[in-house]
Amino acid sequence: MKLTLRIWRQSGPRDRGRMVTYRVEDVSPDMSFLEMLDVLNQDLIMRGEQPVAFDHDCREGICGSCGVVINGRAHGPERTTTCQLHMRSFADGDVVDVEPWRAKGFPVVKDLVVDRSAFDRIIAAGGYVTAPTGSAPEAHATPVPKPDADVAFDNATCIGCGACVAACPNGSAMLFTSAKVTHLNVLPQGQPERERRVLDMVEAMDQEGFGGCTNTGECVASCPKGIPLASIANLNREFLRASR
Amino acid sequence: MSTDIAVPPQKQRPVGRFWASTIGKKTVMAVTGLALVAYLFAHMLGNLKIFLGAADINGYAAWLRTIGEPALPYGVFLWIARVGLIVAVVLHIVAAAQLSLRDRRARPVRYVHGRVSFATSTMRWGGATLAVYVVWHILDLTVGVANRDYVDGQPYHNIVADFSVWWVNVIYIVALLMLGLHLNHGFASAARTLGVATGTIRTVGTVVAVVITGGFLVVPIAVMTGLVA
């Protein structure tokens, strides 16, 4: 396969940045999107140019490090992470636009790399349970009803990649925050801080400059872990419950 | 070994904090929006009285002014309702404007390969169009200054005179279709903001939008086709 890539190049946070066109040849349909970028970068290095900076780590779809906007869609045309997106999703001769996540809360560090520490600060505001750590408690010590365990687990699969923010027309972090709040607030271990958690995490989310939710569902369509829109409704419910 | 962890006391959350948060503003939009939907439903049912004849709808309009008598003086109920509607509309628009501004600031650099969100743009521009329409609609059929044939207390005559003009029908029908789109997304969105998580709420929202829009649309269509004259 031969592709034409138009990639956002920005040398640093203060650089204005621009789209730069590259041609990549010898792309195998079995390559992942990141492997295709590796091929491009190898070529750029051999030519003495700066390689394209992008975030990645596990390349197994579980760490949440990678993520770019491909042809206007967070993580590209398939509902998966960028590392698990394969080049067979594209056709020979395609023109592919590659951009970083765009949000006030996610400033660009370089090229396709953005600073997602805003998510860490939302977690620090309440995305934990205050319990003594140490050896794992006996599994049956705290009974959890199966439906609650399922909801908690589904929401706990959020890897914090930020695709929801990137896809949202309002740059809102509601899906991320709702997954974390739902995960902990449904469990018995999360009850002592149930109300403070939601109020503090929503306040932190707002302070980072993320937008509000308009229920368009773009976040859900891009979420590689399938966090449902119902989690946002649940976040709203928890917020109203705590605000009473 | 155990360590005591200091848990800070829960902070006070007054009304100002609620209004400052995105979810608080959305809640205000949801509650005022649903109140306006309830009003629209009653307004639509009242309009349908035109099919029962001039005496019926004119009598209904007169009755609206006597609700609450003798405890309330003539016309006071209507003014209470109007003040309530104005408060709801102002809160709805202020919250929407502030949230929209915030949403735009949340993405200072736009995507080169951008996509337009149909729902978000129809809610914002459609909502602004509706606000302009409502002003004209009040001048046309409540105050009567925008309607040369307006006769106070004669809604049947006023409606028929209004919908006999082609461009009034165009304005009215376009505004109604905007309203339909607004309700189609807005009703379900309001329900989600208030914590309703079921997927069927979108269908309910579409039914509400179709019933209200359809109920309003049949009146100008009836006048245009001569069913009501």
Side-chain angles (χ1 to χ4, degrees):
Chain A
M1 289 169 71
K2 289 178 185 173
L3 291 175
T4 303
L5 296 172
R6 295 195 297 185
I7 301 180
W8 184 259
R9 299 304 307 265
Q10 183 175 342
S11 61
R14 269 186 276 279
D15 183 22
R16 278 186 53 115
R18 72 220 69 86
M19 295 295 270
V20 178
T21 304
Y22 300 98
R23 279 183 212 293
V24 200
E25 302 188 352
D26 303 326
V27 175
S28 154
D30 298 328
M31 283 177 181
S32 75
F33 198 86
L34 297 187
E35 284 166 343
M36 184 274 297
L37 289 179
D38 290 339
V39 170
L40 168 69
N41 276 346
Q42 194 58 39
D43 190 39
L44 290 176
I45 291 165
M46 296 302 276
R47 295 204 313 243
E49 292 179 36
Q50 276 281 319
V52 178
F54 60 89
D55 254 335
H56 64 107
D57 191 19
C58 76
R59 298 205 179 196
E60 290 178 344
I62 55 170
C63 76
S65 292
C66 69
V68 290
V69 172
I70 302 162
N71 284 341
R73 299 198 59 140
H75 289 308
E78 285 179 35
R79 200 161 123 173
T80 183
T81 55
T82 305
C83 64
Q84 292 295 301
L85 173 69
H86 290 90
M87 296 315 294
R88 50 181 168 267
S89 295
F90 300 86
D92 189 31
D94 272 2
V95 178
V96 183
D97 288 339
V98 190
E99 297 173 76
W101 288 170
R102 291 290 189 201
K104 187 174 176 231
F106 289 163
V108 173
V109 176
K110 187 179 182 184
D111 296 340
L112 303 173
V113 179
V114 297
D115 179 358
R116 278 172 292 188
S117 26
F119 270 12
D120 297 337
R121 290 188 289 272
I122 294 175
I123 291 292
Y128 52 82
V129 291
T130 309
T133 52
S135 58
E138 203 271 317
H140 296 300
T142 313
V144 181
K146 177 75 166 105
D148 291 355
D150 287 346
V151 168
F153 193 83
D154 286 348
N155 282 280
T157 57
C158 168
I159 51 177
C161 64
C164 45
V165 173
C168 177
N170 311 319
S172 172
M174 285 277 278
L175 193 68
F176 167 77
T177 310
S178 74
K180 301 304 175 190
V181 166
T182 304
H183 161 209
L184 296 175
N185 276 19
V186 78
L187 290 173
Q189 291 87 344
Q191 294 311 304
E193 292 139 316
R194 181 173 177 180
E195 301 189 346
R196 233 186 60 217
R197 173 177 303 115
V198 60
L199 294 172
D200 289 349
M201 288 180 78
V202 167
E203 192 179 340
M205 174 184 89
D206 285 345
Q207 275 174 359
E208 295 295 340
F210 293 111
C213 175
T214 49
N215 295 298
T216 58
E218 288 286 345
C219 52
V220 173
S222 283
C223 178
K225 297 297 162 183
I227 306 295
L229 209 52
S231 293
I232 291 184
N234 185 61
L235 173 68
N236 293 330
R237 199 160 55 234
E238 290 290 326
F239 181 84
L240 293 177
R241 182 182 176 279
S243 299
R244 276 189 310 213
Chain B
M1 196 188 95
S2 73
T3 315
D4 286 335
I5 299 163
V7 178
Q10 186 165 346
K11 295 175 206 160
Q12 286 296 309
R13 310 270 166 179
V15 180
R17 277 225 158 159
F18 185 77
W19 176 251
S21 92
T22 47
I23 300 181
K25 279 195 174 60
K26 285 291 291 188
T27 305
V28 171
M29 280 190 74
V31 171
T32 53
L34 290 176
L36 292 168
V37 169
Y39 163 74
L40 279 175
F41 193 71
H43 183 4
M44 183 271 289
L45 286 180
N47 284 10
L48 292 180
K49 280 188 168 286
I50 199 161
F51 292 103
L52 300 176
D56 209 289
I57 191 167
N58 291 352
Y60 167 74
W63 169 77
L64 285 177
R65 285 150 179 84
T66 64
I67 295 175
E69 281 187 339
L72 293 176
Y74 178 82
V76 167
F77 170 80
L78 215 52
W79 275 106
I80 293 173
R82 283 167 181 163
V83 169
L85 287 172
I86 290 168
V87 169
V89 166
V90 167
L91 284 174
H92 195 77
I93 291 176
V94 168
Q98 292 185 349
L99 283 169
S100 296
L101 212 64
R102 190 190 162 84
D103 294 345
R104 291 181 71 89
R105 287 193 191 125
R107 180 157 293 140
V109 182
R110 321 230 137 236
Y111 288 112
V112 173
H113 193 122
R115 296 195 307 148
V116 178
S117 167
F118 180 74
T120 303
S121 46
T122 52
M123 290 308 275
R124 283 180 192 151
W125 299 113
T129 313
L130 280 179
V132 173
Y133 165 76
V134 166
V135 171
W136 176 78
H137 185 57
I138 290 171
L139 294 177
D140 182 35
L141 282 170
T142 308
V143 185
V145 295
N147 186 346
R148 261 186 294 164
D149 299 317
Y150 183 80
V151 182
D152 198 37
Q154 298 290 323
Y156 187 91
H157 164 83
N158 294 337
I159 292 168
V160 172
D162 217 27
F163 291 139
S164 302
V165 184
W166 69 269
W167 56 265
V168 172
N169 284 319
V170 171
I171 294 176
Y172 194 81
I173 290 168
V174 168
L176 277 182
L177 295 178
M178 285 285 192
L179 175 70
L181 288 175
H182 201 80
L183 293 184
N184 183 37
H185 181 80
F187 186 85
S189 186
R192 286 221 180 87
T193 300
L194 296 178
V196 177
T198 55
T200 49
I201 198 69
R202 282 192 68 161
T203 318
V204 176
T206 303
V207 169
V208 167
V210 168
V211 167
I212 290 183
T213 311
F216 278 116
L217 267 178
V218 289
V219 176
I221 290 171
V223 175
M224 277 191 282
T225 54
L227 197 67
V228 170

